[in-house]
Amino acid sequence: MTDYQASTKHIVLTSHPGSFRVQPTAIHWGHPDPLQRGPVIATLTNASQRNAIGTHTGSYAVYRALAVAQGLLETNHRPDFTHTAPAVAIGPHPSWSRDDAIVSLDPFGAVACQVFTEFLQQGYDIRPTIAVTKAHIHMPELQDAIAQKRLEVDGTILRTEGDVLVTKAAIEPVWYLPGIAKRFGIDDATLRRTLFEQTGGMFTELVTRSDLDVFLPPIGGLTVYIVGPVEAITDPDKPLAVRVHDECNGSDVFGSDICTCRPYLVHGLEECIQTAQAGGAGLVVYNRKEGRALGEVTKFLVYNARKRQEGGDRAEAYFARTECIAGAQDMRFQELMPDVLHWLGITRIDRFVSMSDMKYDAICRSGIEIVDRVSLPEERIPADAYVEIAAKKAAGYYTEGPRPDVAELDRTRGRELDV
């Protein structure tokens, strides 16, 4: 047996609970008391403490591995979390104690160091998966909005230079596997086996540790930007505007005009500012799901295929070329998206800044009411983006006018609604 085979065999065997005979710290997902719920522990320095599959920091764990390999980081490094507590308190909310409302993030992730102090004092390696801070953001388009009188400077929310004062939260994914399986209508064993197989066997514990229900997947997380007072989000007497935005590096950062992503992001932020100035709050949720979660390489390959096909870039071939390359039109799975809204305690959205039926339906199915939908104004659509708009409309990505009740939609599709 080679050294490689021996080490591989060792990894597979020691990932099974029988090898250690250690009972992991229990996690009772959905329990309102954090001490009864239990901490999420994905430590790499003490295997006997682990009660979660994977490791913290998601895809950035690979960079951490490089730092360790180069000797830049000690494997037993323990962070000093002094003064890192959330700048603003969020929750707890009733939705935190519903095990089906939040399954893709840890609602106690921002306060792990505060609520699990006793565990930390006993030497447990516990890490926050959410960080909440105060900041300001600046987008040049907001200066144009001020100049064109669409926005008014108030000095508190919006400053003369176009800076917006916000509360923002960075969130790493934490998956409660039984809840994820239920959300998608598949059995837990199928979910675990497929995750194991489609990551090339990266996480053996998915199939060898049925006693571990929590998984920290190596994927991008999300960032929340709150405009106005955080407490206004859950106040039924105050308006709330929400933009749920999926990453588009080419447009959001570099200003590509082939899609409407940055224009819609800016429009959503303007709606949030106006709503906060009216006494409510605004919320932008930015998800790391580049290219409809198909990836940027796939996205650019599709660009080439669309532009070079006979007849040029056409709406009717927009998604066909995507499917030819990626095998699917979209892998964003909006079913998980409402979790962050439930973490914030949202029960009603007055102005939902999106044309997406998939986002709208997922939010309504999760039990959150949407009062009005806000479309992107015609004058903000770049000339080269009309192919995308036409293609999405033809494919049923969005509908103009009132959206039917989601319960009726589900009956039409032969599914039962269970929120």
Side-chain angles (χ1 to χ4, degrees):
M1 182 181 292
T2 66
D3 290 341
Y4 172 78
Q5 290 172 326
S7 63
T8 303
K9 181 179 180 181
H10 174 71
I11 290 171
V12 173
L13 288 176
T14 56
S15 65
H16 194 278
S19 300
F20 286 115
R21 293 183 174 85
V22 173
Q23 186 69 29
T25 301
I27 296 180
H28 302 288
W29 198 265
H31 199 290
D33 182 346
L35 293 179
Q36 292 296 315
R37 201 294 301 269
V40 173
I41 309 172
T43 180
L44 298 177
T45 58
N46 189 336
S48 66
Q49 293 180 355
R50 286 174 62 83
N51 64 2
I53 303 165
T55 182
H56 290 303
T57 70
S59 56
Y60 292 100
V62 176
Y63 291 105
R64 185 177 63 216
L66 285 176
V68 170
Q70 281 197 309
L72 301 176
L73 176 65
E74 295 293 332
T75 56
N76 61 352
H77 170 72
R78 295 287 288 271
D80 178 356
F81 292 117
T82 304
H83 302 314
T84 62
V88 176
I90 294 177
H93 298 292
S95 51
W96 292 21
S97 58
R98 283 177 48 201
D99 62 3
D100 61 337
I102 302 175
V103 299
S104 63
L105 61 89
D106 179 5
F108 296 105
V111 292
C113 294
Q114 288 73 48
V115 298
F116 299 119
T117 304
E118 293 182 11
F119 283 88
L120 290 168
Q121 291 173 344
Q122 294 173 38
Y124 282 79
D125 185 9
I126 299 171
R127 314 275 176 111
T129 55
I130 300 175
V132 183
T133 190
K134 288 279 192 178
H136 69 271
I137 57 178
H138 180 89
M139 300 183 76
E141 291 92 336
L142 297 182
Q143 292 178 315
D144 295 335
I146 293 171
Q148 296 169 19
K149 307 298 184 183
R150 289 199 309 270
L151 291 178
E152 294 184 4
V153 172
D154 57 43
T156 303
I157 294 171
L158 180 63
R159 293 175 173 174
T160 306
E161 301 80 9
D163 293 341
V164 187
L165 301 183
V166 299
T167 299
K168 63 180 183 180
I171 302 176
E172 294 175 1
V174 178
W175 286 9
Y176 176 59
L177 292 173
I180 296 283
K182 182 180 179 181
R183 186 78 61 88
F184 286 101
I186 56 180
D187 64 88
D188 187 66
T190 298
L191 173 64
R192 287 170 175 267
R193 185 180 67 252
T194 307
L195 286 170
F196 170 73
E197 292 173 348
Q198 293 302 312
T199 56
M202 185 182 296
F203 300 100
T204 57
E205 290 169 318
L206 286 165
V207 292
T208 63
R209 294 293 303 266
S210 59
D211 58 327
L212 301 183
D213 287 332
V214 174
F215 175 43
L216 279 62
I219 59 176
L222 59 92
T223 310
V224 172
Y225 296 88
I226 302 170
V227 184
V230 171
E231 58 271 18
I233 290 176
T234 55
D235 190 332
D237 297 323
K238 295 183 179 179
L240 175 66
V242 174
R243 167 67 184 167
V244 175
H245 191 91
D246 294 322
E247 178 183 32
C248 178
N249 183 60
S251 179
D252 296 342
V253 179
F254 294 102
S256 167
D257 61 357
I258 200 172
C259 67
T260 59
C261 292
R262 184 176 174 99
Y264 227 141
L265 179 61
V266 173
H267 179 51
L269 187 54
E270 287 188 28
E271 289 283 342
C272 289
I273 294 169
Q274 291 168 346
T275 304
Q277 289 177 331
L283 173 70
V284 174
V285 178
Y286 195 89
N287 295 288
R288 298 314 192 285
K289 296 179 180 179
E290 179 66 58
R292 296 188 221 109
L294 303 173
E296 199 166 30
V297 170
T298 295
K299 182 179 181 178
F300 288 5
L301 293 174
V302 172
Y303 282 168
N304 285 344
R306 284 169 47 194
K307 294 172 183 176
R308 293 169 179 167
Q309 65 190 342
E310 185 178 352
D313 195 7
R314 308 185 312 278
E316 60 270 23
Y318 184 93
F319 287 113
R321 296 306 294 133
T322 301
E323 286 189 272
C324 286
I325 295 170
Q329 293 183 6
D330 196 317
M331 294 186 196
R332 284 176 289 183
F333 299 114
Q334 301 296 353
E335 291 90 340
L336 299 178
M337 173 267 294
D339 287 20
V340 65
L341 305 180
H342 288 292
W343 174 66
L344 292 165
I346 293 173
T347 57
R348 188 195 71 225
I349 297 171
D350 297 280
R351 294 180 66 75
F352 182 55
V353 192
S354 174
M355 293 187 292
S356 169
D357 287 348
M358 290 187 291
K359 293 177 182 177
Y360 177 91
D361 293 351
I363 290 171
C364 291
R365 283 194 183 96
S366 77
I368 297 173
E369 176 191 3
I370 293 178
V371 179
D372 289 319
R373 299 171 72 182
V374 181
S375 298
L376 182 66
E378 183 79 14
E379 64 273 13
R380 300 201 185 189
I381 300 175
D384 288 343
Y386 277 96
V387 170
E388 176 204 47
I389 293 292
K392 286 184 175 181
K393 184 176 181 180
Y397 261 65
Y398 72 94
T399 356
E400 294 178 338
R403 182 75 172 150
D405 178 79
V406 290
E408 180 57 35
L409 285 173
D410 282 336
R411 282 192 290 270
T412 302
R413 295 168 184 162
R415 297 197 302 264
E416 292 185 357
L417 177 62
D418 180 14
V419 297

